[in-house]
Amino acid sequence: MAKSTQLIDNEVFRAYATYAAIVLIKMMLMSLITAYFRITRKAFANPEDTASFGKGDSAKKFLRTDADVERVRRGHLNDLENIVPFFGIGLLYALCGPDLSTALLHFRIFTGARILHTFAYLIPLPQPGRGRSVELEHVDIFQQRHLLKYS
């Protein structure tokens, strides 16, 4: 079993940790963006969230869905569906000892595609931009998994 000092000295693992941190921070920012949209659109999901806007019937009008809020939430959900597999497969890939330049290419492709997907979701950009970014992520993850199988 590898010691923690061996992992810290491993350039591929450090690259993985860097790009994993980037997509994790991006995913956490989606929570703040969701909160921003909820507050600015005054569209809340829970009665206790409307307390600052009044009580009773006056607060009930803020218990509603908003298309912009739901769009951001779907983008955040898509992050959860795609970043979690990257954490697992990317970690295993980093630990199997790949070439640094190949690993960097995989990590950068995934991170760039994830950021592009977020912009495509929030702006919104016309399809196939968002769909192509997800395809690129999936191809990248499956390629890492394939390389794991043969390492």
Side-chain angles (χ1 to χ4, degrees):
M1 175 159 222
K3 294 181 181 178
S4 61
T5 55
Q6 289 175 315
L7 287 178
I8 293 169
D9 292 338
N10 183 333
E11 289 181 341
V12 174
F13 180 78
R14 285 193 312 220
Y16 163 75
T18 300
Y19 288 99
I22 290 169
V23 294
L24 181 63
I25 289 168
K26 188 212 82 61
M27 186 169 61
M28 292 169 62
L29 285 173
M30 291 300 288
S31 294
L32 296 175
I33 295 169
T34 303
Y36 170 79
F37 273 79
R38 282 199 182 283
I39 291 167
T40 58
R41 306 304 193 271
K42 294 184 177 148
F44 300 99
N46 302 306
E48 61 272 15
D49 298 337
T50 64
S52 61
F53 298 103
K55 302 238 183 229
D57 289 338
S58 64
K60 282 185 181 178
K61 67 182 177 183
F62 300 114
L63 287 174
R64 61 187 182 87
T65 59
D66 178 83
D68 293 332
V69 173
E70 291 304 310
R71 182 171 197 82
V72 174
R73 286 184 67 237
R74 287 191 305 271
H76 192 200
L77 179 61
N78 192 276
D79 274 352
L80 292 169
E81 293 169 349
N82 290 285
I83 290 174
V84 171
F86 171 73
F87 287 159
I89 293 172
L91 176 62
L92 294 174
Y93 175 69
L95 294 176
C96 80
D99 180 59
L100 177 61
S101 61
T102 305
L104 281 171
L105 180 65
H106 281 295
F107 300 153
R108 287 175 179 164
I109 286 172
F110 181 85
T111 303
R114 201 66 247 164
I115 291 169
L116 175 65
H117 181 270
T118 299
F119 282 117
Y121 225 114
L122 295 179
I123 291 177
L125 296 177
Q127 284 288 20
R130 194 176 76 231
R132 294 285 186 240
S133 68
V134 171
E135 287 175 8
L136 187 58
E137 293 167 26
H138 287 178
V139 167
D140 185 60
I141 290 290
F142 284 117
Q143 177 67 25
Q144 288 179 53
R145 188 197 121 340
H146 177 75
L147 291 172
L148 269 172
K149 185 178 178 181
Y150 295 103
S151 64

